[in-house]
Amino acid sequence: MVKRTKYLKIDPLVPELHKIRLAARILNRGGVVAFPTETVYGLGANALDSRAVRRIFAAKGRPADNPLIVHIASFRDIKALVAYLPPRANLLMQRFWPGPLTLILPRSEVVPDIVTAGLDTVGIRMPSHPVAQALIRAARLPIAAPSANTSGRPSPTTGRHVLKDLRGKIDAVVDGGPAMVGLESTVLDLTVPVPTILRPGGITYEDLQAVLGEVAIDPAVRGSQVARPRAPGMKYKHYAPRGEVYLVAGELDRVTAKTRALVATWQRTGRRVAVLATRETAPAYEQEPRPDYLEILGSRSQPATIAANLFSALRNCDRHQADVILAEAIAEEGLGLAIMNRLRKSAANRIIQA
Ligand code: AMP
Ligand code: MG
């Protein structure tokens, strides 16, 4: 069914109240609304209403066995959603909420099966973006929200990305400008003896370790093929532009040399080739053989900039009709772990060792 998608441009820092109220009313009536968070844009619906949540899955084409994260705006809202709160959950909430950290906790009965994909756990997060906070408060509801993209595509970091994927399929887009972090939240499982990162994101392994001491990283995060990853979403094709992504890894000089050689090879076969480079390596691609499209993600010393630009860059490669996209690997520390996780998935594990 085609819907008329309402477009609401909003001030990201001081959101206009009448626009927030309008979007909240749509949520209260069981509609689906895309809105900015500090990580990426989310596609929200009333988390307590199975029919509303079903519309999220339909609009995105999301597999039913991939659970949704529930977003709240105040600490007391978590009580009703969980069976119990382990003490270290409190510690993490105090330290990192509001912010890009999702906690996997034992669920309560009020959370519908469709939200958790039948699991006995629920993922909960409190976003820090003023628009997300105002909207959740105004709706007076927990809001289930995955990323507001078509399933399998790069996550949306602007309102324009959302419209490109979901115009005509959702009730409204609240456009508050670009998302700040640019990668999804860190998903941390607290239902196991050692807290385990199921998906790396805006809060790093190092951040969590400083608070918790011991933290584990699920092997799927670094690309190990596991039949049933504990974050069900990790098994699906993800972050994929239309072009085929290859990740080029190794020592930096070799990476640029290998990438340039690959540009020449692919171009000889008539392919359009894009390169996702960094500030440090960009000069290597500004001479022949030139890629058809070059995107400089940022400096290797500022992974936050690379994170903020990554999904947009993948979508830009589509706009430039790249058949092949060559992305340089970066160091897997701090935010680098999350960046590499997304790149690996977007490359479907096609990694070329230089
Ligand atoms: P998205 O909101 O589209 O960024 O995806 C949410 C991610 O969190 C997916 O990878 C889900 O599989 C994961 N997730 C959500 N809820 C749970 C849960 N209860 N247990 C494990 N993983 C979850
Ligand atoms: Mg997603």
Side-chain angles (χ1 to χ4, degrees):
M1 191 185 67
V2 178
K3 294 171 182 269
R4 210 184 73 79
T5 300
K6 226 187 267 308
Y7 179 79
L8 299 165
K9 185 97 195 151
I10 203 163
D11 186 321
L13 296 178
V14 193
E16 297 88 335
L17 199 56
H18 67 281
K19 293 180 184 172
I20 290 290
R21 285 200 179 124
L22 179 56
R25 247 190 331 267
I26 298 173
L27 291 171
N28 279 295
R29 289 185 190 140
V32 287
V33 177
F35 59 95
T37 81
E38 72 278 20
T39 58
V40 301
Y41 272 67
L43 182 60
N46 177 359
L48 306 179
D49 175 351
S50 306
R51 286 183 50 197
V53 173
R54 201 168 299 131
R55 295 194 179 109
I56 295 179
F57 283 89
K60 282 180 59 83
R62 184 174 175 105
D65 69 349
N66 193 2
L68 306 183
I69 294 168
V70 178
H71 293 68
I72 58 175
S74 88
F75 285 92
R76 78 180 102 82
D77 294 344
I78 197 171
K79 282 264 165 61
L81 302 171
V82 300
Y84 66 90
L85 259 188
R88 55 190 183 199
N90 272 306
L91 202 66
L92 292 164
M93 287 156 58
Q94 296 302 328
R95 178 70 182 76
F96 297 113
W97 280 9
L101 177 66
T102 296
L103 301 178
I104 304 297
L105 294 161
R107 67 184 273 203
S108 76
E109 324 72 85
V110 309
V111 184
D113 275 345
I114 186 169
V115 171
T116 67
L119 298 175
D120 52 12
T121 56
V122 59
I124 304 178
R125 167 169 118 80
M126 186 190 288
S128 67
H129 196 294
V131 172
Q133 288 197 351
L135 183 58
I136 299 166
R137 282 224 173 82
R140 297 169 196 256
L141 289 169
I143 300 295
S147 48
N149 53 307
T150 299
S151 235
R153 297 267 302 146
S155 297
T157 54
T158 67
R160 192 171 56 84
H161 295 165
V162 176
L163 284 173
K164 180 103 177 67
D165 282 16
L166 299 179
R167 189 201 291 272
K169 297 182 173 171
I170 62 177
D171 296 294
V173 179
V174 182
D175 186 344
M180 292 91 97
V181 178
L183 300 178
E184 302 86 343
S185 61
T186 303
V187 176
L188 183 72
D189 189 354
L190 289 184
T191 66
V192 286
V194 178
T196 302
I197 296 177
L198 304 184
R199 176 178 74 183
I203 302 295
T204 64
Y205 167 79
E206 293 83 349
D207 293 334
L208 293 170
Q209 206 188 27
V211 172
L212 293 172
E214 201 181 0
V215 182
I217 301 178
D218 193 85
V221 165
R222 291 206 180 89
S224 294
Q225 309 284 344
V226 275
R228 287 195 56 177
R230 279 156 57 207
M234 301 296 273
K235 70 173 175 285
Y236 290 108
K237 178 184 126 175
H238 243 95
Y239 317 117
R242 270 173 271 281
E244 211 158 73
V245 180
Y246 293 83
L247 190 52
V248 187
E251 198 224 305
L252 209 51
D253 286 348
R254 291 185 180 204
V255 166
T256 50
K258 182 74 188 175
T259 303
R260 295 182 63 214
L262 288 167
V263 169
T265 310
W266 284 115
Q267 283 180 337
R268 268 200 297 277
T269 66
R271 309 299 213 290
R272 287 179 60 81
V273 186
V275 170
L276 304 186
T278 48
R279 179 77 47 219
E280 290 77 3
T281 56
Y285 308 112
E286 281 157 0
Q287 45 185 309
E288 293 301 324
R290 272 172 209 273
D292 298 278
Y293 179 63
L294 174 64
E295 174 113 14
I296 302 162
L297 294 172
S299 165
R300 285 168 182 268
S301 64
Q302 310 238 305
T305 311
I306 296 179
N309 291 328
L310 181 62
F311 288 144
S312 207
L314 289 170
R315 283 175 181 263
N316 288 343
C317 291
D318 280 349
R319 285 202 298 149
H320 287 84
Q321 291 161 335
D323 302 302
V324 175
I325 301 161
L326 304 171
E328 296 173 351
I330 66 159
E332 265 180 294
E333 56 200 29
L335 262 183
L337 182 66
I339 295 166
M340 282 294 285
N341 169 262
R342 305 309 189 273
L343 277 174
R344 219 183 262 117
K345 291 180 72 62
S346 118
N349 265 321
R350 286 180 291 261
I351 303 173
I352 295 167
Q353 207 61 44

